[in-house]
Amino acid sequence: MKPNMGKMDRMVRLILGAIGLLTVVFGNLSGTWSTIVLIKYYLQIADSALIYSYRLRELSLFNTPFLNSLSQSDLTDHLLSIANITYKEVNGIQKKEEGHAFDIIRKKPEEYFNAILFELENKDEVFVIVRQFFVDTFHSFYYQELVKSKDAFLSKLATEKVDLFKNQVEKSRLWFRELKFSDEDKYKRTQKSINVLWEYSADFFQASTVDLVMLSREAGVDLHKVQMNWKIDIEKAVAEEGFKLPAQEGTFIGGKEGRHSRSFHSFLKRLKSEKLPFS
């Protein structure tokens, strides 16, 4: 289960070195390339926040006290706020560089760059709790790293939100712990949820070209570092509560390249039918 960190670190440094050199060369030749990289990086953050906030809002359809409260929680509002602020920043950059506004309503499904796990259908309360623990742990470590960004907008955004995610992961850890004391049926559903979500969790850490370029500029997040910290916490919690993680790494990746789950298209139609605050 433990990766060869020395080998992985060497590979990451080699890749970043090559990407960094290309960025310097092409970045100096074309401001457009630099702008495209920045916009797509911002969209990865905004799209993930938007998609997940609306998945959480749909929890009200289950009509249970816990899921209703989660659908209307401050977390849902803060995720929508992250999307709102970041889309507006993209809009400003695009108007300045290209002379026209950014239009989220006209975005095609393949133009959304969120990790796939954020868009997965809500199944039941157990699935939601496990997913929430996975997501909150990711957000906590991700935004702690994003605070260090040399990009002023990203650093400010992360600084404003990092404590929220630190507090949120403490809540979801407690919810996950309660699953330990469930009956046999809920125990089995918990283990099944862990297995399913583990398959998609690798997409959190799959570095796109844009991720690597931004990291080479010291503006992006080191996803390898986030993954190592995330795994330590998840492995510890899963073991402590008597569950198991799959032996193999997750295989479903590509969300940040515009590849999505089967349910994404219908979900997107529902989302766009609502009045978005930044549309």
Side-chain angles (χ1 to χ4, degrees), residues 199-216:
E199 282 292 307
Y200 290 93
S201 64
D203 204 34
F204 283 150
F205 315 107
Q206 184 71 15
S208 64
T209 302
V210 169
D211 285 316
L212 295 174
V213 172
M214 288 292 283
L215 182 57
S216 73

Side-chain angles (χ1 to χ4, degrees), residues 39 42 83-94 151 153:
I39 285 177
Y42 284 5
N84 189 8
I85 293 167
T86 311
Y87 284 134
K88 285 182 177 179
E89 187 70 12
V90 169
N91 191 44
I93 295 171
Q94 194 153 308
D151 180 281
F153 170 76

Side-chain angles (χ1 to χ4, degrees), residues 174-229:
L174 290 174
W175 300 335
F176 183 73
R177 180 174 295 154
E178 288 299 314
L179 295 174
K180 176 181 181 179
F181 305 103
S182 305
D183 57 36
E184 185 177 352
D185 174 66
K186 188 173 282 189
Y187 180 91
K188 288 180 179 178
R189 285 190 287 125
T190 302
Q191 185 61 62
K192 182 178 179 180
S193 297
I194 290 170
N195 294 345
V196 170
L197 289 161
W198 182 258
E199 282 292 307
Y200 290 93
S201 64
D203 204 34
F204 283 150
F205 315 107
Q206 184 71 15
S208 64
T209 302
V210 169
D211 285 316
L212 295 174
V213 172
M214 288 292 283
L215 182 57
S216 73
R217 296 175 178 174
E218 299 182 64
V221 168
D222 184 346
L223 290 173
H224 177 62
K225 182 177 180 180
V226 173
Q227 183 179 29
M228 293 300 100
N229 289 328

Side-chain angles (χ1 to χ4, degrees), residues 8-274:
M8 291 180 70
D9 285 339
R10 286 194 296 273
M11 288 176 63
V12 170
R13 284 196 295 270
L14 285 171
I15 292 170
L16 288 177
I19 292 291
L21 178 60
L22 288 171
T23 304
V24 170
V25 173
F26 290 105
N28 287 337
L29 290 175
S30 172
T32 301
W33 163 248
S34 182
T35 301
I36 289 171
V37 168
L38 188 63
I39 285 177
K40 187 172 179 185
Y41 195 81
Y42 284 5
L43 288 178
Q44 288 180 176
I45 293 171
D47 291 345
S48 293
L50 173 68
I51 297 303
Y52 196 54
S53 70
Y54 272 80
R55 271 301 184 207
L56 290 179
R57 287 195 172 197
E58 287 190 333
L59 293 175
S60 61
L61 299 173
F62 285 86
N63 199 30
T64 68
F66 174 76
L67 295 182
N68 272 337
S69 65
L70 186 55
S71 73
Q72 300 169 21
S73 65
D74 288 344
L75 173 64
T76 307
D77 292 337
H78 277 286
L79 287 168
L80 194 58
S81 169
I82 289 170
N84 189 8
I85 293 167
T86 311
Y87 284 134
K88 285 182 177 179
E89 187 70 12
V90 169
N91 191 44
I93 295 171
Q94 194 153 308
K95 277 185 177 179
K96 181 179 178 181
E97 297 291 331
E98 301 180 24
H100 61 85
F102 170 76
D103 190 350
I104 186 174
I105 296 299
R106 294 182 182 276
K107 279 181 71 170
K108 301 174 183 177
E110 63 269 21
E111 293 172 336
Y112 283 82
F113 306 123
N114 55 283
I116 298 173
L117 192 145
F118 290 123
E119 70 193 47
L120 295 181
E121 288 184 278
N122 300 318
K123 297 184 183 299
D124 59 21
E125 189 167 298
V126 169
F127 180 88
V128 170
I129 288 173
V130 177
R131 183 184 64 186
Q132 195 61 45
F133 179 48
F134 277 28
V135 169
D136 288 340
T137 305
F138 168 73
H139 276 151
S140 178
F141 288 121
Y142 183 89
Y143 278 83
Q144 287 178 63
E145 291 301 309
L146 194 62
V147 167
K148 305 170 188 175
S149 174
K150 288 190 175 181
D151 180 281
F153 170 76
L154 292 175
S155 179
K156 182 173 183 289
L157 175 68
T159 300
E160 291 173 352
K161 301 299 183 182
V162 66
D163 286 340
L164 163 77
F165 292 121
K166 286 181 181 178
N167 293 332
Q168 180 61 36
V169 79
E170 292 179 4
K171 294 179 184 178
S172 59
R173 177 68 181 89
L174 290 174
W175 300 335
F176 183 73
R177 180 174 295 154
E178 288 299 314
L179 295 174
K180 176 181 181 179
F181 305 103
S182 305
D183 57 36
E184 185 177 352
D185 174 66
K186 188 173 282 189
Y187 180 91
K188 288 180 179 178
R189 285 190 287 125
T190 302
Q191 185 61 62
K192 182 178 179 180
S193 297
I194 290 170
N195 294 345
V196 170
L197 289 161
W198 182 258
E199 282 292 307
Y200 290 93
S201 64
D203 204 34
F204 283 150
F205 315 107
Q206 184 71 15
S208 64
T209 302
V210 169
D211 285 316
L212 295 174
V213 172
M214 288 292 283
L215 182 57
S216 73
R217 296 175 178 174
E218 299 182 64
V221 168
D222 184 346
L223 290 173
H224 177 62
K225 182 177 180 180
V226 173
Q227 183 179 29
M228 293 300 100
N229 289 328
W230 182 88
K231 276 190 173 182
I232 289 169
D233 276 20
I234 296 297
E235 287 177 352
K236 180 181 178 182
V238 168
E240 285 181 350
E241 309 315 332
F243 300 105
K244 295 180 180 179
L245 288 175
Q248 301 299 318
E249 295 295 325
T251 56
F252 292 99
I253 58 175
K256 287 185 281 186
E257 301 299 338
R259 297 191 291 274
H260 299 286
S261 59
R262 293 178 181 177
S263 64
F264 186 66
H265 288 235
S266 58
F267 169 71
L268 208 53
K269 286 182 181 179
R270 295 198 301 274
L271 188 156
K272 288 185 176 182
S273 68
E274 298 193 26

